Amino acid sequence: MNGKLPIAMGLLTRRGLLSAALVAATGLRSTTAEAQPAVSADTEAFLDSVGVCGHFARTNGVYPERFEQILPELEALGIRHLRDEGLINARDRRNSAVFQRLRQIVAANIRLTIICYDDLNPYVSTPLDRLADFYDWCDGGIELFEGSNEPVLTKDPQNAPRRSAQHQAALYQTIRSTPRLNALGVVAPSYIQTNIPLAQNLEEMCDFGNIHPYAGMEHPETTGPGELSKFVTASAPIAPRRPILATEIGYHTSLKTKSFHFPVTEGIKARYMPRMLLWCFASGIRRSYIYEMVSSFADDDTNPETSFGLLRYDLSRTPAYEAVRALLSLCKARRQTAPAERRVDFIQNDLQRVSLRLTRPDGALLVPVWLAIRGWQWPAGIENPPAERSAAFSVTGAHSQIIAHRFHDDGSVTQQVIAQEEGQYRLPTSDQLTVLEVF
């Protein structure tokens, strides 16, 4: 994403979603991923896997102009990582407004991933000899420097891949040769679509691979054109054997768009967003950055750029904001409970059920569980009502209570204490996320 208004239909290729056009053109139906074995991890690892994109480094637009109102919402969201742009000019100093904003974000215990644009970008480029200044003026709050955002190689396939690789090599060398920067991670550029096969192998010039796996109107676990693993596989030759970051991922709700990046409703966005973050984590994506914190432009049902935000352009919260905030808050909650080895096992198999086991620092066990099925029919524009299937499960390990936290399409979360029945427990599983809290 470049945060700009669409230029022309023929250029709307930024989000890896021409495959979605195949759905409309061929009638191909997206299918559902089979449930995988439950992933076991701790909540701190999951919290570290979630980020959000912003444009606070710009000098105009909603992000700088309403920063004082956005920052509290960013803090309330509970995200620990922000991806922003490496925009710095010759006049910038430590006291420039851009760096005052970024330092306030860092002071809120949010760490930065900074995009370093190359000279293939027709609008901006990041001077690599200013990266040390950028780092210092952010009070050392940068943890990752990222290669250029969605470089276009197809316009000059003979030269652009080499120029892009040279920029990445220069970025990597700058970071590694600067003492106060050399412990930071370097992320590969985020090539997309037909640019991917033109890109060179950058494994020795990065610590992380980089994808933008937008699923369009598909559900997060689809095995159709927007399948997460297809993005990973396509980009694997660029940074083989490197862990992967999804530096942009998300959904828009501009229902009258003419682009091939198809929409969902606000309710479906709220249903899908927490599943998307958990699915990426379970699939081995090291970190996923939601695009974006605030919709960059005023509402326009034809323009996707006006509705990606967790906050609307007027800064009101979307249901997806509330859903993400609730999930992260639950991972940070604390109960009066003794540490114990706890485990939840579902008694019957369901190929569409996905679950994870996340251990919280207080000793509680969180088990996110959901049905990996679609909730949205496009282009019919039909929201499927939440599906429900009863599932029995057992719990091993000392525990006093089990609470089911059910996420709803309006962003709300309801709680229900689950009582034992004849030695087991029963839960109505749904394509709306439920998180079991066992303590």
Side-chain angles (χ1 to χ4, degrees):
M1 297 293 303
N2 61 13
K4 299 181 182 297
L5 289 166
I7 299 168
M9 281 294 296
L11 298 179
L12 288 178
T13 59
R14 290 193 292 269
R15 304 181 193 97
L17 286 165
L18 285 181
S19 56
L22 294 175
V23 178
T26 67
L28 177 66
R29 294 290 180 183
S30 63
T31 53
T32 298
E34 292 185 357
Q36 56 188 27
V39 171
S40 296
D42 58 62
T43 53
E44 289 300 302
F46 174 68
L47 289 167
D48 192 58
S49 79
V50 180
V52 70
C53 298
H55 298 293
F56 296 103
R58 296 188 177 183
T59 56
N60 53 51
V62 65
Y63 285 90
E65 291 166 8
R66 303 197 65 184
F67 176 72
E68 297 302 327
Q69 291 77 42
I70 297 171
L71 181 59
E73 295 294 278
L74 182 61
E75 293 182 87
L77 183 60
I79 278 180
R80 298 175 175 179
H81 304 282
L82 172 73
R83 178 184 185 247
D84 214 304
E85 299 166 286
L87 304 179
I88 184 171
N89 61 52
R91 298 183 301 277
D92 277 323
R93 297 292 182 269
R94 179 179 170 82
N95 64 352
S96 296
V98 165
F99 291 99
Q100 291 183 41
R101 288 193 293 273
L102 293 176
R103 286 198 299 276
Q104 288 187 64
I105 292 170
V106 169
N109 293 317
I110 298 170
R111 291 298 168 261
L112 305 177
T113 297
I114 298 298
I115 305 164
C116 299
Y117 291 105
D118 61 25
D119 62 4
L120 295 174
N121 187 292
Y123 305 105
V124 293
S125 61
T126 303
L128 300 184
D129 60 356
R130 302 297 301 279
L131 294 186
D133 288 338
F134 210 112
Y135 178 80
D136 291 342
W137 297 345
C138 291
D139 285 349
I142 298 172
E143 61 178 351
L144 297 171
F145 282 104
E146 178 185 342
S148 198
N149 185 64
E150 300 184 353
V152 177
L153 308 184
T154 52
K155 288 185 177 181
D156 184 8
Q158 298 302 314
N159 298 299
R162 170 183 50 80
R163 290 169 58 191
S164 178
Q166 288 173 341
H167 176 268
Q168 184 67 22
L171 170 62
Y172 192 79
Q173 176 61 25
T174 298
I175 300 304
R176 293 292 168 259
S177 63
T178 305
R180 60 188 183 279
L181 304 181
N182 62 18
L184 304 182
V186 179
V187 185
S190 52
Y191 302 106
I192 61 168
Q193 296 178 5
T194 54
N195 298 284
I196 294 173
L198 295 175
Q200 296 184 7
N201 184 317
L202 305 178
E203 182 178 9
E204 300 305 317
M205 309 170 198
C206 67
D207 303 300
F208 298 92
N210 193 349
I211 58 174
H212 286 179
Y214 289 96
M217 81 299 189
E218 296 184 79
H219 54 293
E221 313 82 9
T222 179
T223 56
E227 182 181 359
L228 176 61
S229 65
K230 292 176 181 174
F231 290 91
V232 174
T233 299
S235 295
I238 299 170
R241 295 177 294 276
R242 297 291 190 236
I244 300 296
L245 307 183
T247 58
E248 289 184 19
I249 193 168
Y251 292 93
H252 78 83
T253 59
S254 295
L255 295 176
K256 295 180 181 179
T257 181
K258 304 299 183 183
S259 84
F260 288 132
H261 190 158
F262 297 136
V264 297
T265 63
E266 283 204 341
I268 294 298
K269 182 176 176 177
R271 192 185 303 184
Y272 285 174
M273 191 70 78
R275 283 167 49 182
M276 177 192 78
L277 296 173
L278 290 161
W279 181 249
C280 284
F281 181 71
S283 301
I285 303 302
R286 186 66 59 89
R287 185 175 299 150
S288 302
Y289 298 78
I290 299 166
Y291 193 87
E292 60 180 319
M293 180 62 193
V294 185
S295 292
S296 292
F297 303 99
D299 289 346
D300 177 353
D301 247 4
T302 68
N303 178 13
E305 302 289 349
T306 68
S307 62
F308 276 102
L310 295 175
L311 298 179
R312 302 181 185 92
Y313 183 75
D314 65 6
L315 305 190
S316 58
R317 295 179 175 182
T318 66
Y321 175 101
E322 298 290 6
V324 172
R325 184 186 64 82
L327 177 59
L328 301 183
S329 178
L330 190 54
C331 289
K332 298 176 182 179
R334 298 293 181 266
R335 299 278 190 183
Q336 292 295 325
T337 182
E341 290 291 329
R342 301 182 173 102
R343 181 183 174 96
V344 167
D345 290 292
F346 289 93
I347 294 170
Q348 293 181 322
N349 190 34
D350 185 336
L351 291 179
Q352 292 181 323
R353 186 177 62 233
V354 182
S355 64
L356 289 74
R357 292 190 290 267
L358 301 175
T359 303
R360 212 165 53 191
D362 64 349
L365 175 65
L366 299 185
V367 181
V369 57
W370 71 94
L371 299 177
I373 60 178
R374 70 173 184 168
W376 171 240
Q377 300 179 45
W378 180 263
I382 298 173
E383 285 188 6
N384 295 337
E388 285 201 358
R389 298 176 195 163
S390 181
F393 64 93
S394 62
V395 179
T396 56
H399 61 282
S400 60
Q401 198 167 60
I402 301 173
I403 300 176
H405 301 261
R406 175 72 172 266
F407 288 61
H408 300 281
D409 293 354
D410 62 359
S412 65
V413 181
T414 55
Q415 291 80 36
Q416 178 186 0
V417 175
I418 306 295
Q420 192 175 41
E421 301 175 11
E422 300 180 353
Q424 63 184 31
Y425 300 89
R426 301 200 70 84
L427 173 74
T429 58
S430 171
D431 57 327
Q432 292 177 325
L433 175 67
T434 298
V435 179
L436 295 173
E437 183 184 19
V438 184
F439 60 97

